[in-house]
Amino acid sequence: MALGSVFIGGDSAKVIEDILTVIEFDKIQTIEAINDRFLNVLAHDMEEALAQCQKAHSLSQAIGYKKGVLDAESNRAWYHILKCEFDHAFPLLKDLPEKYELIGDTYGHLLSINSMGVLHLDMGNYDHALPYFFKSVNLARNAGEKEREASSLANIGLIYNEMGKIEEAFDYFNEALNIPERNDTCFYTASKCIGLYYIDSGEYESALGHLENARKIAHEKRDTHFESELLTTLGCLYRAQKQYETAGDLFQQSLEISQTLGNIKIETENLYEIGCLHLARAQIESALSCLTRALDLALDKDIGNIRCKCYEQLSSTYEQKKEFEKALSYLKKFNAAEKEYNLNKAELRLKSLGFEHEIEKKHQMAEIYRLKNIELEEANRRITDLANHDTLTGLPNRRLLMEHLKTAIYSAQRSHLAVALLFIDLDDFKPVNDRLGHRAGDLVLKQVGDRLAQTMRRTDVVARFGGDEFVIMVPSLEDTGYVLRIIEKINHMFEKEFVTGSHRFKLGASIGVSLYPDDDQDIDGLLTKADMAMYSAKLKGKNSFLFYRSIAG
């Protein structure tokens, strides 16, 4: 008997098969880890990211792991997009959506569609980019992929911004930011563009708030590409306020980062913005040097929007120098580029109207279908309403409050803001029930709920927690002074008499306050501590309030 047959016969063959399966699984895990780390590595070392990408591609091909191959190709395309090497990115991306669809990878399918849109967006081909983003939004919504939906909404906002439809762009950015599952790329992009919107409208404090918050988060997470973009936008903010030294420092920081990373697009934008800064300071020769360098890069990498702006500024600068021949030459180039840009923009407006018309048609068909099934729809709505709202007051119940609180805490983690919980227990309510009966008591509870809801902002949540207890949740809290103002309004609200039938009487409220993240970072913990503070306030005396931190020590 041959020696080999001893080891591959019977159970031994199964053992070998199992060993090979484990080895293959380990390789897949390694590939997934490399592909997942790609963007983090890309943020501070583009060439190392490319090397890792090629490694994942080779490993995937060696074991026939299709998803690994496609993910590596997608990552490699992003490397080339950031390097403005669009002719290398396009062949990698053009068939990816169909390939992902064939292997049933919904996330990869959506990401690759969005990536094609980004490629055309960065090339200035907005009429080609928009269909990809609209398609990505609709598919993401149907698949329940909120992260992909948010990214595509932010990219549509970028295009509308370029079209000069500023209000529509602002709406898209806000819609993207209001999706809790949004990724960091979406957050940085939307924050940057909302900052630019506020700069253009002269609302500098609002611009600074959005931009500086996003820049700090990018710095903490070592998202160097986005930190560089946000530094550039902050430079534009300070230049608009004529704080030229600060603006120059920010542009220079961003320029150095982009050159270190090899990000040609951001480098080109910085050179253009530095050139404009020199013009604002009447430093003509320095301006010409920066603008010429920016134009050379824009022409080399086919960055259409910067090329157009460089032509205009160079024409103006040479006119100031009274070198009219050069000024006229650049003006002609600017006019030709602007004509092409405006033509593309007009075509894009028509296409966007076409997409909006198609979406409206779909909405109309959905409405017809809804009307045909109105009884079922109404029944489902009623079931959902009963599950999420208090039947007496119509306010959110404990279940819906928990959902709102979960979302608010998730948002607060990203924005570094606070969340406040106000736990309210009515004073002197029991005698109403005892003397006038539960029906009268229910009418009073409804009046309390109505008054509380009318007192608060639309973004705050007023919920009935049970019995004569109510909870108010304040999301995105910047300072506790707002909580004190709420308490003052509530106390003022209770000064007015409650009426049921021929009976009039006054009630009070004991209020306990807990704060995320200072008092607790857990939902149940926050509620418990707000309840404890309320109970202490009631012991202290009716119609009073306490913060949990005042009793914690």
Side-chain angles (χ1 to χ4, degrees):
M1 180 183 293
L3 186 62
S5 64
V6 174
F7 293 100
I8 62 172
D11 292 339
S12 298
K14 181 67 168 62
V15 170
I16 293 173
E17 182 181 342
D18 289 344
I19 292 171
L20 291 174
T21 300
V22 170
I23 292 171
E24 185 170 299
F25 178 77
D26 287 343
K27 287 181 179 179
I28 289 174
Q29 292 290 94
T30 301
I31 292 165
E32 290 290 323
I34 294 171
N35 282 329
D36 288 344
R37 288 197 306 268
F38 173 78
L39 289 178
N40 289 332
V41 178
L42 188 70
H44 54 271
D45 191 336
M46 294 182 73
E47 299 312 315
E48 174 60 24
L50 178 62
Q52 291 295 311
C53 181
Q54 290 168 334
K55 178 181 177 182
H57 192 272
S58 297
L59 288 172
S60 299
Q61 281 191 320
I63 64 172
Y65 182 42
K66 292 181 180 179
K67 182 181 183 302
V69 171
L70 298 182
D71 288 347
E73 289 177 354
S74 176
N75 287 338
R76 186 176 174 189
W78 274 103
Y79 165 86
H80 290 301
I81 288 173
L82 290 176
K83 297 277 284 187
C84 294
E85 297 171 350
F86 304 125
D87 54 334
H88 293 298
F90 181 76
L92 291 167
L93 285 175
K94 66 183 180 71
D95 296 324
L96 271 187
E98 290 75 15
K99 290 178 179 178
Y100 273 118
E101 194 170 22
L102 285 173
I103 65 170
D105 188 336
T106 302
Y107 186 88
H109 179 60
L110 292 169
L111 178 62
S112 57
I113 291 172
N114 192 64
S115 300
M116 281 296 291
V118 172
L119 172 66
H120 286 293
L121 174 62
D122 282 2
M123 292 174 68
N125 299 331
Y126 305 128
D127 57 327
H128 287 85
L130 193 64
Y132 285 106
F133 295 141
F134 271 120
K135 182 178 180 180
S136 183
V137 166
N138 290 328
L139 290 174
R141 284 174 176 165
N142 291 335
E145 289 281 356
K146 291 292 186 180
E147 179 196 335
R148 291 288 90 221
E149 178 187 348
S151 293
S152 297
L153 286 169
N155 286 327
I156 293 172
L158 285 172
I159 291 182
Y160 276 108
N161 189 63
E162 289 295 329
M163 290 166 61
K165 300 173 76 171
I166 306 300
E167 296 297 331
E168 290 93 333
F170 189 82
D171 289 343
Y172 274 107
F173 291 133
N174 268 327
E175 188 178 353
L177 284 179
N178 285 329
I179 295 177
E181 297 87 349
R182 68 179 187 270
N183 60 27
D184 290 337
T185 300
C186 171
F187 170 70
Y188 300 135
T189 301
S191 297
K192 169 189 168 183
C193 292
I194 288 175
L196 286 169
Y197 169 84
Y198 282 129
I199 292 171
D200 289 342
S201 58
E203 299 177 60
Y204 298 134
E205 287 300 319
S206 296
L208 182 62
H210 277 277
L211 294 170
E212 190 57 37
N213 177 53
R215 187 205 64 79
K216 285 179 180 177
I217 293 172
H219 181 74
E220 289 168 3
K221 294 191 171 185
R222 296 185 67 204
D223 288 332
T224 318
H225 283 288
F226 292 107
E227 182 182 9
S228 178
E229 286 192 33
L230 290 160
L231 285 168
T232 302
T233 314
L234 280 164
C236 294
L237 169 62
Y238 283 103
R239 185 179 64 202
Q241 298 176 86
K242 301 190 185 322
Q243 297 182 35
Y244 296 138
E245 290 295 332
T246 304
D249 290 342
L250 290 166
F251 288 140
Q252 191 60 39
Q253 286 180 56
S254 181
L255 179 64
E256 290 171 3
I257 291 172
S258 63
Q259 289 175 333
T260 300
L261 291 173
N263 190 320
I264 305 299
K265 184 173 182 288
I266 302 177
E267 179 183 356
T268 308
E269 289 174 354
N270 273 295
L271 287 169
Y272 171 78
E273 298 296 353
I274 293 171
C276 292
L277 177 64
H278 285 310
L279 285 177
R281 304 178 78 172
Q283 298 168 341
I284 303 299
E285 294 304 323
S286 297
L288 282 174
S289 173
C290 287
L291 290 170
T292 303
R293 287 167 61 197
L295 177 60
D296 289 343
L297 285 173
L299 288 169
D300 183 51
K301 298 299 181 180
D302 194 23
I303 310 174
N305 58 335
I306 298 179
R307 182 181 71 227
C308 187
K309 292 192 288 188
C310 286
Y311 285 144
E312 183 180 25
Q313 289 291 358
L314 283 166
S315 175
S316 175
T317 306
Y318 278 114
E319 187 177 0
Q320 290 181 46
K321 289 189 69 179
K322 300 189 184 304
E323 295 185 25
F324 298 116
E325 185 176 348
K326 289 183 178 179
L328 180 61
S329 173
Y330 280 116
L331 182 61
K332 288 179 179 178
K333 291 176 180 178
F334 166 70
N335 285 334
E338 187 182 42
K339 183 178 178 181
E340 179 185 353
Y341 173 75
N342 286 334
L343 181 61
N344 288 337
K345 190 161 70 170
E347 291 176 357
L348 182 57
R349 283 183 184 274
L350 288 173
K351 287 195 175 186
S352 68
L353 286 173
F355 285 119
E356 289 165 6
H357 174 65
E358 286 299 317
I359 291 170
E360 182 61 27
K361 278 175 61 180
K362 288 179 181 178
H363 286 167
Q364 288 172 354
M365 292 301 295
E367 180 65 10
I368 291 169
Y369 181 80
R370 189 187 70 80
L371 290 172
K372 286 181 178 178
N373 296 275
I374 188 67
E375 290 183 5
L376 179 60
E377 293 256 343
E378 180 60 25
N380 287 332
R381 188 200 64 77
R382 183 62 180 154
I383 290 168
T384 302
D385 195 56
L386 286 170
N388 290 319
H389 291 83
D390 175 51
T391 54
L392 174 63
T393 62
L395 295 174
N397 59 15
R398 184 185 303 213
R399 180 179 180 276
L400 186 55
L401 171 68
M402 294 298 197
E403 290 297 318
H404 283 305
L405 186 53
K406 181 180 178 182
T407 302
I409 288 175
Y410 184 89
S411 179
Q413 289 171 342
R414 302 293 296 271
S415 59
H416 300 285
L417 296 175
V419 178
L421 274 186
L422 285 74
F423 204 109
I424 303 168
D425 185 82
L426 302 185
D427 296 328
D428 300 322
F429 177 71
K430 189 175 184 298
V432 176
N433 262 345
D434 292 344
R435 185 159 56 93
L436 302 177
H438 288 286
R439 181 174 173 77
D442 287 348
L443 290 172
V444 171
L445 288 172
K446 190 173 188 317
Q447 289 179 49
V448 172
D450 289 343
R451 290 188 191 182
L452 285 172
Q454 291 167 12
T455 301
M456 305 307 298
R457 302 177 306 182
R458 289 177 61 189
T459 52
D460 301 330
V461 176
V462 180
R464 185 182 176 205
F465 205 65
D468 61 347
E469 295 175 336
F470 295 82
V471 173
I472 295 174
M473 185 198 74
V474 182
S476 303
L477 181 69
E478 295 183 359
D479 69 277
T480 54
Y482 177 66
V483 177
L484 295 174
R485 291 194 292 276
I486 291 175
I487 294 171
E488 185 179 345
K489 287 182 180 180
I490 293 172
N491 288 334
H492 181 70
M493 180 197 89
F494 278 101
E495 289 175 4
K496 183 181 176 183
E497 289 183 324
F498 292 88
V499 179
T500 172
S502 59
H503 300 281
R504 293 174 174 271
F505 45 85
K506 284 191 175 183
L507 297 176
S510 296
I511 305 171
V513 183
S514 65
L515 298 172
Y516 169 89
D518 295 348
D519 296 333
D520 210 309
Q521 297 185 22
D522 175 74
I523 291 175
D524 291 332
L526 286 170
L527 283 165
T528 300
K529 287 171 180 174
D531 189 20
M532 291 168 63
M534 179 276 293
Y535 184 71
S536 297
K538 192 174 281 289
L539 292 176
K540 174 185 171 186
K542 294 177 181 179
N543 213 34
S544 61
F545 71 91
L546 283 174
F547 282 77
Y548 174 76
R549 66 190 178 205
S550 68
I551 65 170

